[in-house]
Amino acid sequence: MAEAGIEYVRLAEFSWGVIEPTLGGLDFSWLDEAVDILADHGLNVVLCTPTATPPKWLVDEHPEILQADPDGTPRHFGSRRHYCFNSPRYREETRRIVSEMAAHYADHPAVVGWQTDNEFGCHGTVRCYCEDCSAAFSEWLAAKYDDVGDLNEQWGTTFWSQQYASFEAVDPPRPTPADHHPSRLLDYYRFATDSVIEYNRIHADLIREHGDWFVTHNFMGDFETLDMHKVSNDLDLVSWDSYPTGFVQDRRAADPSMDELRAGDPDQVGLNHDLCRATNDAPFWVMEQQPGDVNWPPSCPQPGDGAMRLWAHHAVGHGADAVLYFRWRRCLEGQEQYHAGLMKQDGSPDRGYNEAKAAAEELTTVDVDHVDASVALLHDYDNWWAIGVQPHAPEFDYWEHLRCYYRVLRARGVQVDVVHPDAPLDDYEAVVAPGLHLVDTELADHLTQFVEQGGQLLVGARSGVKTPANQLHETLAPGPLADLTGLVVDQHESYPEDVPLAVEVDGDEYAATIWAEWLDPDPQTTVVATHTSGPGAGRPAVTRRNRGDGSVTYCGVWPGSELLDELVAELLSRGGIKHTSRLPDGVRFNERDGLTWVTNFTSRQFELDVPMGAVVSGGQTLGAFDVAVVSTAPHLISISNEAS
Amino acid sequence: MAEAGIEYVRLAEFSWGVIEPTLGGLDFSWLDEAVDILADHGLNVVLCTPTATPPKWLVDEHPEILQADPDGTPRHFGSRRHYCFNSPRYREETRRIVSEMAAHYADHPAVVGWQTDNEFGCHGTVRCYCEDCSAAFSEWLAAKYDDVGDLNEQWGTTFWSQQYASFEAVDPPRPTPADHHPSRLLDYYRFATDSVIEYNRIHADLIREHGDWFVTHNFMGDFETLDMHKVSNDLDLVSWDSYPTGFVQDRRAADPSMDELRAGDPDQVGLNHDLCRATNDAPFWVMEQQPGDVNWPPSCPQPGDGAMRLWAHHAVGHGADAVLYFRWRRCLEGQEQYHAGLMKQDGSPDRGYNEAKAAAEELTTVDVDHVDASVALLHDYDNWWAIGVQPHAPEFDYWEHLRCYYRVLRARGVQVDVVHPDAPLDDYEAVVAPGLHLVDTELADHLTQFVEQGGQLLVGARSGVKTPANQLHETLAPGPLADLTGLVVDQHESYPEDVPLAVEVDGDEYAATIWAEWLDPDPQTTVVATHTSGPGAGRPAVTRRNRGDGSVTYCGVWPGSELLDELVAELLSRGGIKHTSRLPDGVRFNERDGLTWVTNFTSRQFELDVPMGAVVSGGQTLGAFDVAVVSTAPHLISISNEAS
Amino acid sequence: MAEAGIEYVRLAEFSWGVIEPTLGGLDFSWLDEAVDILADHGLNVVLCTPTATPPKWLVDEHPEILQADPDGTPRHFGSRRHYCFNSPRYREETRRIVSEMAAHYADHPAVVGWQTDNEFGCHGTVRCYCEDCSAAFSEWLAAKYDDVGDLNEQWGTTFWSQQYASFEAVDPPRPTPADHHPSRLLDYYRFATDSVIEYNRIHADLIREHGDWFVTHNFMGDFETLDMHKVSNDLDLVSWDSYPTGFVQDRRAADPSMDELRAGDPDQVGLNHDLCRATNDAPFWVMEQQPGDVNWPPSCPQPGDGAMRLWAHHAVGHGADAVLYFRWRRCLEGQEQYHAGLMKQDGSPDRGYNEAKAAAEELTTVDVDHVDASVALLHDYDNWWAIGVQPHAPEFDYWEHLRCYYRVLRARGVQVDVVHPDAPLDDYEAVVAPGLHLVDTELADHLTQFVEQGGQLLVGARSGVKTPANQLHETLAPGPLADLTGLVVDQHESYPEDVPLAVEVDGDEYAATIWAEWLDPDPQTTVVATHTSGPGAGRPAVTRRNRGDGSVTYCGVWPGSELLDELVAELLSRGGIKHTSRLPDGVRFNERDGLTWVTNFTSRQFELDVPMGAVVSGGQTLGAFDVAVVSTAPHLISISNEAS
């Protein structure tokens, strides 16, 4: 490992069964040996609490710790993540094992930090429907609402006679003949994420009691059910697990191209990097970087030559301070035998080994601070959940919608922070808010202040429609944002993705899809685009108005990339944000502390036009799945449009 | 409402939670106020029994009232329709709340009628599999069969050792390794619909005890599991809920065209209108007319300009005496926030308001009697269920099959009654019987008499195959109809819909699909069409014979529209039924009491050629989604084939 | 029946309900009468134990005999196969009814043999998850492993803390959040098949106690979950149920052609014939031959004229000694009313009757011994299950993969035995081993010996990857086969089937699909094909080496048929196996004891070029769905490429 340039080694996730083979029979000897060997070679260790896999003896003794499906079927032993976050018994067992482990390694100099559990919520396990969760949900509601009358009013339970006489009467949302109440679902989703937060805090608090360590958790990519903004409040360091060629297959609407099967989608990966970085406004880690082919996507082609090196650089360019690979060596047994490691099962180096080593050598020459971004993309799990409960169009996915905006911004070579709407916006020149669905007056004031003080704001469709309780505002959309945006939405409509929609801007036609709103702008508001399709033809589709020292643009459609690029380019120009011409698909720039990473996620070759001597790493010719690090700003770099 | 031309207001469906917030704590004050305000403005009120949504306190007190899925999972509280029709406890609670409500409004002059419950069976709730249903099914069987030996013989339980030793031994059809017995399923489906009938009768009887009101129920469109013919015996008025742009998306095999996404399919809607009208042989109501975009279809485009007006006229042309809209104002809370009303949530008029008002103004000038039809389309839920249990071809849907026949009839400008096979047929010149699957000698005699007395009969494929108990007849299909039709079916076969089938008529080839029978006609029977595809090539596919003063045509394929139009045109001519040339797709004529509604469900424009001064409402030019009312018979109206 | 040329009649499967209408109330009178009538007409009777359908009185008395789904839902009464193989109670009832029945017919001269139960495992019933199975699984494990520590080591339960403290702690694989452990699943699948074996043995032993009868069981086609090699150890005769036009629709990846909808796929059917024949190395029976259209496939076109005769000949050519049809007469009642018989429901002959009669007449002139094959195709359920648990590519199906190899062999006119890898290989010139996934040194030695003694071996991709316990070997694939094949697999990768892969052989490009391995051959090993697509371009894809007196070819891709034909032709030439040029699709030759069956599963017509007078049955012109029997070897027969 040391020879490969590795500095940090993560250990012991899922290890409860060997740490405690029988109740109370603790055995750290094997782990001690491993940690000592690593320490002897100058490697730092990140330990994991082993709670993601309660052993069978514990399940047999206390079957009530198992999660339950909505219909009551237990989530049985035999894989992982089968425990309920709200089980009092499991919380007690968690405290016991975490305390024992933290105490045991309290003085070990090689142990620098801890990962809590592993991939909270993986396999759909944030939301559980067991009796412990039922009781905990009632308590959570009691803590949130003044009384049950307040709950009934906030949710609006008169509809379909859904009134509750007590908090205890509110169950988890189990199978029903028709749709669940959207306010009840939204609160259940909030409760479920809060259950994980509480459970994570048990770990974090106990670990900190025993040492001056950093505490992190390895989040998953494109993951909806767990509020990363909130969980991260209890973490010193945000990290996540990045599997580019899997993600393009199993968590994105569009079918992957051949290049994407080889290297992934830089914007899909980048959006997660930028969320991790911006959440705690600090460098993040990739705790698991894909080391080669893996076991779980539908298909498992070999990554392109260079892809593993590319991903490491790409992460650093986005603000990562460490990239760890999962796993070191292919495992002979169990569910992940088809998961590559840096080493093959016979101990010989696999494809990823040499690439990881090369990346490590190149990156040791680089010393960079935190990434600065001028653009904020607002992101909020409540909006994700609220739109997910009532998408009103099969293809309207909140995260896909955000990625459309992100992709166009990134194609202009700018850095993007993905931040919660409530976050301070003073450091940004431009703010982009797609699908800002749940808005109250406080948030509207926050955004108004940003604009009045000179900020450029781009608001997307479906914004301001609902209260935070998931009721419609009594006023027309965008509700509390109507004054700021200078319009109301007369009508909204949704379409299958294959129905082409169109708008017109200055005589040119642009494509849109899935969603259309007919806008009624104020006299002070300028019409930027007009519908040219459907019964709304001739009605405004995109508007803009100046307000104080800034401006606000409202985009009442799911915009095609051409239309969105027009809006984004104007936004960046108004904000004085330096940007590039549109980059080729799959090529992205990441600026960090004076250096720019030029990453090529395609099999094509490009020539860079940069100042003499500016190339710090790589070369002027950017090969397939190649990277160059350049000591100049993105807007000063030109790239040939597919040389050779 | 009064200003909008509204005359009837439906109130209080789903209102149990506010009528009785706690057990016995009845509160009608809010409803009294509403009814009084409506009365003050001259509006009539239709009240609903609130039983579609038992409140949570009742569910918590008596969880046994919940329905159960086939695997035993309860259908929990949190949406609607979660109660079991056979629950003795729920029937008792129903009697209590209905009596209280009917007694309370017994003397109110503004209350003119009652709707029982709401959309019986919505969300798949006709069929329940709980223990109460198990007991009730056994009782139902005991009442139907002489003894269990009779049941065993009627069903034919020797197959796969399915004999029952007692009625109690017969359970609801729960999950099994392989298919269920088709006779058991058919009886369970009959039992389930009878359970709703009994439950509805509880309401109807109690309401009638308290006043001289009409009793109605709002049925759903294209709905399989509830026998509307039977339920309607207990109703004074049949009504249904019409959502044209949703129905083309979620309950029809063909993908909707863009025009259909804007206005729906006139034949899909019309078939439901004609079923409602003919069921009780009286004008019907549309209790819920789509008022704009709604929340539940996959996609929700805005209806075309004029569509809401068009639908109201179309309903009246088909025999509706009232068209009510659901809903008046968009609701801020709960599951239907995306359901438009005539008013927006802020109280301003929505698109539907002006169209509803226009339709109301136009229709007040019209005073028409009941619709007369010369053609009967036979329809029977038992056949629907029997073919549904054993479709023998993935795409053979009974209702789709009926609609094919209906569509071609309607394209010839004739009125169609959709009636039960047992209904008197004396008033009809022609009877069309597609998929008349279950036939006994009594029904065969009924049809034979119709033909012998001069009727023209068109029988479709798969007719006469089975006994009412869902066993094969011992004789070859069409079993008891073999004598009348003058043929037996030598072979039947089914195909994926994308396999083209063909028959030949007088040297011309016509398309067929999905289903083919090889017919062995008697010498007295004429071959109309011959198969030209498959191993049955050369074998008769369609036959005709004269019988008494009438004729009977047997169509042994699922006919394409060209073939079917040939058969239908001949049928109408033989019956002396005046008809038009083939109308354009999406344009339909409805004759009612001397007036003809010309309805255009397309975005194209047409010119009407009608006698001078005959246009009562609308104009000679029929715009997109437009309607004209003309004081002349359909066959005297010409329409340009897509002017402009 | 006698007039139709029938010699054997199978009776009484599913008859428990009439044999024993109430507990202990045995009644064989109806069956006695049937058997006696058949005997009187010189027909032989095969009786069935009636256990596939325990009657309702037994289920009501002992509901614990029902199987359970993984989530615990019982598989209820109402179809068939609802009993658990491991239920002590049901085994007792089985012993009782089988003993009674065997004793009753012990002296009847017309009863020549017995079929145990019916289609073990149909409808997914091999694997059950009830409490009886849980206990039996623990016992099975205890018998297999030295102690639970041995189990933990063999499975590799350290991964994800899956250690077990006792055999009792191991449950059936019930629903879990993520994938199950592959070693646990594989053992559960083995256990489940062993449960059927034990259960079948109860029947076989009791039957043999009462008479000198043959014992058979009717297996299903293309059936994964039951190990036919193992079950057949307890049978005197192997039989199976053949439904060619259904199988092309419901158990094959490719969509059926129109010809296949009419007659099926000769290689799909033939592979099952050859598995049945080779399993016990003896002639087999077709216990149920499709008699016309049947009820259960998605679509049910009529078979082509001649298809029923064709299937009978085809079976005999493959080694069948009897072909029985299911069923004799169409049944009026129950689930299979749409299943044709040789007779229609009214007792008149159906299409199959005349064809069955013709085939019987033709085949009575033929007297042939057992089929000899020079090629063995290795087949093993453990490999099927292991790859099924972790296919690593959605389209990598073990059986489809085998069929690709089988199809190309059969297109060269050679006979193929489908045998277990452990079977003696001395009688074969060539052995083909696709997907030989689980390999230990013993098996490697067995194959090495075969090659060294002059055999020609073709090994497919994914071979030698795992231990029999479903762990990876510590050495690189093909593990214990590395020495024999002279290579290791550097990388493997998988692709969606629609991604074209390519390899190059001697300058020509060939297609491959789904799977690719990059091979590292020894110096002694020759590269036959090289990848030309993907990052592995230039790397070896197929290799060959000589070893002892034989040779071994390794094919590291899922080969397209052109590539595979090159490999197979070379294999046959090296083995000195006489073969034909490539036969047209759908035309196949079967050599049996000096006669060759030429079968045409297409609607095209062909001319045969054979020695004067060699045609024993049929003619020189091979019509649509026609057959000819020729007294010469396949490689001496020429066939025109689609005459007429």
Side-chain angles (χ1 to χ4, degrees), chain A residues 377-399:
Chain A
L377 179 69
L378 302 190
H379 162 255
D380 178 6
Y381 291 89
D382 285 26
N383 289 325
W384 199 341
W385 301 333
I387 288 179
V389 165
Q390 294 176 304
H392 205 51
E395 289 113 344
F396 202 113
D397 178 86
Y398 171 81
W399 189 248

Side-chain angles (χ1 to χ4, degrees), chain A residues 14-18 53 55-56 60 73-82 123 125 258 261-262 293-295 298-303 305 327 330-338 344-346 350-351, chain C residues 71 155-164 169 171 174-182 184 390 392-394 437 462 466 470-476 490-496 499 515 518 534-535:
Chain A
F14 311 123
S15 65
W16 198 332
V18 279
T53 48
K56 187 64 170 22
D60 283 344
T73 305
R75 295 172 182 160
H76 291 277
F77 180 86
S79 64
R80 59 179 183 174
R81 306 221 55 78
H82 38 285
H123 321 300
T125 57
M258 202 62 229
L261 283 172
R262 300 268 179 235
D293 60 302
V294 289
N295 63 306
S299 293
C300 308
Q302 285 292 329
D305 282 326
R327 44 189 309 135
R330 188 179 289 264
C331 182
L332 299 180
E333 68 189 43
Q335 280 90 329
E336 293 183 348
Q337 297 174 35
Y338 281 96
K344 294 181 178 179
Q345 74 259 40
D346 66 349
D350 207 337
R351 298 179 73 222
Chain C
D71 70 354
W155 286 6
T157 54
T158 302
F159 188 83
W160 288 356
S161 282
Q162 294 176 82
Q163 301 92 341
Y164 296 95
D171 307 309
R174 290 168 174 150
T176 44
D179 291 342
H180 274 286
H181 194 294
R184 180 182 175 204
Q390 294 176 305
H392 205 52
H437 201 53
R462 304 192 76 166
K466 299 243 204 167
N470 214 7
Q471 286 200 28
L472 285 182
H473 284 292
E474 290 187 39
T475 57
L476 300 183
D490 177 30
Q491 301 294 337
H492 61 260
E493 49 178 351
S494 64
Y495 289 90
V499 171
W515 193 268
W518 309 353

